[in-house]
Amino acid sequence: MPADTPPAPPTSKDVAAAAGVSQSTVSMVLSGKWPGRVSARTAQKVRDTAERLGYRPNPAARNLRLGRTRTIMLVVPTITAPFFASVYIGAARVAAEHGFSLVVFTWPLDLDGPFDGPQEAIDGMLASSMAEASLSGMRRPVPLVMLDSDPDGGAPTVNFDIEGAMRDLTEHLFALGHRRIGHLAADIDVWTFQCRAAALEARVPDVVTERAAISITDGFEAAVRLLSRPDRPTALVCDDDTLAVGAHKAAQALGLDVPGDVAITGFDDVILAEALELTTVRLPAEQLGAQAMLGLLDLLNGRTPPRPVLPAELVIRRSTSPSAALTTAAEPAD
């Protein structure tokens, strides 16, 4: 052997021989499973021997023996939206604290057919803002927690209090005198937007709705249609802050003052909402990811996870405020 060849790293077999114990004892001690099985003196001897020899367990080899990868997959519709970036941050933080890695896979909401993403090298899955039925074609059963999804499905869920948020939002608009309210709805057939529509219609039965894809351009065009009606709404409730930005641009293009002629509200509270001073509903996306990861850890450890419903917060900014013109604008058109 050449003189400059480094020595091979010590193994658990080396530790066992030096400590005068079996390899299984070394494994129990270094994995923390020794209490009640070996004495404290023996456990300390094993730890001291491992330290003296410079032995470090190989987690990859251990996971391979256990048939685990300690990898979780987060499925989101897009990675460009700030909301889903925050979901990832929350989930990744909790995953790292428990020795797991988190990978992201995108599955756009407008894709038809069953989910066909990678499924072989993961221990569990978090799926955000999609239908559980989309996952019915999984090639093998994978522990699953759904985020911002139908709570009546079979998988555990973590959701927002959408009904409470819409109650606070509409009460705010009612208090300002708004009675003609338009809904700029996301044209996506998933639970979270169905829930927003149902909650708004329960509070405003005569709400006028226009649907649009979630983009500033589509939001602009749908808002122009709403704001060009003879009975123009005095307030627009938008399903998403991106749509609200489009609505704000539409109001400007039509020569309408915000909030003097029309109030505009959004959902999510991303940085665009703050920049335009939009009243919006703040959804704690990072907390959503963290709670979902904790629920998945429960599943992986054989426990039944809770199904938390996270509170949403109404954030009032300049895009909704009392207006002298509202008294007459809120009256039915002749």
Side-chain angles (χ1 to χ4, degrees):
M1 179 181 295
D4 59 351
T5 301
T11 66
S12 61
K13 185 177 181 179
D14 296 327
V15 176
V21 298
S22 67
Q23 276 186 273
S24 61
T25 297
V26 172
S27 178
M28 280 191 293
V29 171
L30 297 184
S31 64
K33 298 178 180 179
W34 64 269
R37 306 172 76 176
V38 301
S39 68
R41 177 178 295 181
T42 298
Q44 188 60 50
K45 184 179 181 180
V46 170
R47 287 193 293 265
D48 290 344
T49 303
E51 182 66 27
R52 175 169 55 83
L53 296 179
Y55 171 71
R56 296 291 182 269
N58 185 337
R62 179 175 181 272
N63 291 336
L64 183 61
R65 290 195 304 272
L66 296 174
R68 296 178 180 174
T69 64
R70 299 195 74 80
T71 300
I72 303 301
M73 183 165 66
L74 170 65
V75 182
V76 295
T78 176
I79 58 174
T80 59
F83 176 85
F84 294 111
S86 296
V87 170
Y88 169 81
I89 290 170
R93 172 175 52 80
V94 174
E97 289 171 354
H98 291 81
F100 283 81
S101 299
L102 186 70
V103 297
V104 178
F105 186 82
T106 57
W107 189 255
L109 294 175
D110 57 357
L111 284 183
D112 294 326
F115 177 78
D116 192 30
Q119 303 163 32
E120 287 73 24
I122 58 173
D123 287 343
M125 179 186 293
L126 306 174
S128 182
S129 310
M130 63 189 297
E132 187 178 345
S134 300
L135 304 172
S136 60
M138 297 282 287
R139 294 187 291 275
R140 67 182 182 92
V142 175
L144 168 70
V145 173
M146 305 292 296
L147 297 73
D148 199 19
S149 300
D150 190 350
D152 293 329
T157 55
V158 181
N159 282 322
F160 299 119
D161 183 8
I162 299 297
E163 291 184 3
M166 199 62 77
R167 179 194 62 238
D168 294 344
L169 179 58
T170 52
E171 285 183 356
H172 169 65
L173 294 176
F174 292 158
L176 294 175
H178 294 283
R179 297 297 180 268
R180 292 204 307 270
I181 295 177
H183 182 202
L184 189 47
D187 194 16
I188 302 174
D189 189 24
V190 294
W191 176 84
T192 187
F193 294 122
Q194 295 168 358
C195 189
R196 294 175 201 196
L200 179 58
E201 289 167 7
R203 303 282 301 176
V204 188
D206 57 350
V207 64
V208 179
T209 300
E210 284 284 347
R211 306 183 69 84
I214 298 180
S215 74
I216 293 176
T217 299
D218 288 277
F220 174 90
E221 294 173 353
V224 166
R225 294 193 295 273
L226 280 169
L227 296 176
S228 299
R229 294 171 57 95
D231 55 346
R232 171 176 59 80
T234 65
L236 295 183
V237 174
C238 305
D239 271 353
D240 177 273
D241 287 337
T242 301
L243 292 175
V245 172
H248 200 285
K249 289 173 64 70
Q252 290 180 322
L254 294 172
L256 300 174
D257 177 69
V258 178
D261 297 313
V262 59
I264 297 175
T265 70
F267 243 87
D268 288 353
D269 195 29
V270 298
I271 194 168
L272 278 173
E274 185 176 359
L276 277 182
E277 297 186 73
L278 285 170
T279 291
T280 189
V281 173
R282 178 177 295 158
L283 300 177
E286 189 170 331
Q287 187 181 358
L288 181 78
Q291 289 294 320
M293 187 64 217
L294 288 171
L296 186 56
L297 290 171
D298 280 338
L299 278 181
L300 293 172
N301 288 295
R303 298 187 295 266
T304 301
R307 294 178 176 237
V309 176
L310 307 179
E313 178 188 359
L314 177 64
V315 181
I316 299 174
R317 297 193 179 101
R318 184 184 173 278
S319 70
T320 59
S321 65
S323 167
L326 192 57
T327 304
T328 55
E331 296 298 325
D334 292 333

